[in-house]
Amino acid sequence: MSLSLKKDYQVCEEIGRGRFGVVSRCFSTLTGNSFACKSIDKTQLLDEIDRECLDKETKIMNHVVGYENIVNLVDVFEDETHLYMILDLCQEQTLYDRILQINRSFSETEACAIFTQLIGAIGHCHRRGVAHRDLKPDNILFDQWNNLKLADFGSADWVNGDEKMEGIVGTPYYVAPEVILGREYNEKVDVWSAGVILYIMLAGIPPFYGESPEEIFEAVIRGNLRFPPRIFRSVSSSAKDLIRKMLCRDVSRRLSGEQVLRHPWIISGGETRAMVDLT
């Protein structure tokens, strides 16, 4: 372990584990404040692309630092075999865990309170020229005061004006169709993923389903968005309108993050009620 890390932080019990390392609770030896230490085993990185992503992750996190709904990168240490990232300490329970725990859909006001924080974080990233590219409930954390914290920028990339991104990244249920099709794409892939998350919070099921990643990809590409009446009978037409405009296969017509924040459903706090729409 890095001598500088040992000097500044006391690393305690493991609280999480990922593909290339572990997350442990730690505290500052100077202030006593608690943090999370993400330890990444560089010897497990498979190729140069993985190493480039790791380097990019720390740079991007430093670039978006300071926004209330994004996990802050507090410190970085490195030795011959590991990279150590000191991060805000969050609850172990992710949004994915909350979705499983309640065993039902969220009310519109519950969903809107969480979603508004998420889309605010996404908008901040986009204004700073960053696309997250792997939005999913597993990467949405909460601090001790229950504020949302967007995490895991390992797949994030820079967005430079009209220059497009490429490469298939993301998670099957949440990835945008233009990514699957191998096309160049922009930051609106995050809006698609956020739309899937909102659908799941309100329905308890994903909008595009399959028994395997290949079947899920096929369903996403078809983009046959449905709102089953049995599940959506109590969901407002305003919420469904927002989801339609986020899960729009035509990227030019898909809302931007800033436009999502101005949608009536968001402005109302999820309290908009209209005639039940059975489409």
Side-chain angles (χ1 to χ4, degrees), residues 108 112 115-116 119 191 198 202 227 235-247 253-274:
E108 290 191 48
C112 191
F115 187 74
T116 300
I119 206 67
V191 175
L198 179 57
L202 293 175
F227 297 100
V235 176
S236 69
S237 57
S238 182
K240 287 182 279 190
D241 177 72
L242 175 56
I243 292 170
R244 283 192 192 95
K245 290 174 178 175
M246 296 180 74
L247 299 182
R253 293 175 54 234
R254 188 183 306 160
L255 297 183
S256 68
E258 294 298 322
Q259 288 172 323
V260 172
L261 282 171
R262 297 196 296 269
H263 189 275
W265 187 77
I266 297 290
I267 292 172
S268 75
E271 294 183 353
T272 297
R273 286 292 177 267

Side-chain angles (χ1 to χ4, degrees), residues 36-248:
C37 176
K38 183 177 180 180
S39 169
I40 299 168
D41 187 348
K42 295 187 293 184
T43 66
Q44 297 299 309
L45 301 179
L46 302 179
D47 51 35
E48 190 62 32
I49 293 175
D50 283 337
R51 285 186 282 274
E52 288 176 4
C53 287
L54 181 59
D55 182 54
K56 188 184 294 182
E57 180 177 7
T58 57
K59 290 178 179 177
I60 283 177
M61 291 197 72
N62 276 319
H63 193 65
V64 299
V65 70
Y67 190 79
E68 61 184 348
N69 296 122
I70 294 177
V71 169
N72 281 315
L73 177 62
V74 178
D75 227 333
V76 178
F77 301 92
E78 190 168 7
D79 58 26
E80 289 185 1
T81 60
H82 287 77
L83 179 77
Y84 305 94
M85 302 168 65
I86 307 299
L87 305 159
D88 289 338
L89 181 64
C90 294
Q91 300 176 32
E92 292 183 41
Q93 188 183 60
T94 67
L95 178 59
Y96 179 78
D97 296 321
R98 292 190 179 193
I99 290 170
L100 290 180
Q101 183 182 52
I102 65 172
N103 198 30
R104 61 170 175 79
S105 57
F106 290 76
S107 71
E108 290 191 48
T109 52
E110 289 171 334
C112 191
I114 293 171
F115 187 74
T116 300
Q117 295 177 75
L118 173 61
I119 206 67
I122 294 168
H124 173 76
C125 290
H126 293 177
R127 288 190 299 273
R128 298 290 287 163
V130 169
H132 188 281
R133 300 204 303 174
D134 193 21
L135 292 175
K136 55 185 177 181
D138 316 60
N139 290 337
I140 298 169
L141 311 179
F142 299 90
D143 66 16
Q144 60 181 314
W145 299 283
N146 226 26
N147 298 310
L148 180 144
K149 294 285 186 176
L150 178 59
D152 198 344
F153 284 77
S155 298
D157 203 357
W158 303 105
V159 181
N160 300 311
D162 293 330
E163 187 177 332
K164 305 288 187 182
M165 295 173 286
E166 57 185 8
I168 298 179
V169 295
T171 303
Y173 283 119
Y174 307 95
V175 68
E178 61 267 29
V179 176
I180 300 170
L181 291 168
R183 297 172 182 166
E184 294 184 329
Y185 52 85
N186 62 21
E187 70 279 2
K188 285 188 178 181
V189 295
D190 287 343
V191 175
W192 177 282
S193 301
V196 174
I197 292 170
L198 179 57
Y199 186 106
I200 291 173
M201 284 197 289
L202 293 175
I205 58 171
F208 309 109
Y209 180 77
E211 295 291 342
S212 66
E214 292 74 20
E215 289 184 6
I216 296 168
F217 288 152
E218 289 173 6
V220 171
I221 291 170
R222 285 196 302 271
N224 188 12
L225 180 61
R226 295 180 180 274
F227 297 100
R230 180 179 59 83
I231 297 173
F232 279 87
R233 68 166 61 92
S234 61
V235 176
S236 69
S237 57
S238 182
K240 287 182 279 190
D241 177 72
L242 175 56
I243 292 170
R244 283 192 192 95
K245 290 174 178 175
M246 296 180 74
L247 299 182
C248 178

Side-chain angles (χ1 to χ4, degrees), residues 12-32:
C12 306
E13 76 277 11
E14 179 181 322
I15 56 176
R17 185 170 287 267
R19 188 159 61 113
F20 297 124
V22 300
V23 179
S24 303
R25 191 185 310 275
C26 69
F27 65 87
S28 166
T29 56
L30 179 63
T31 66

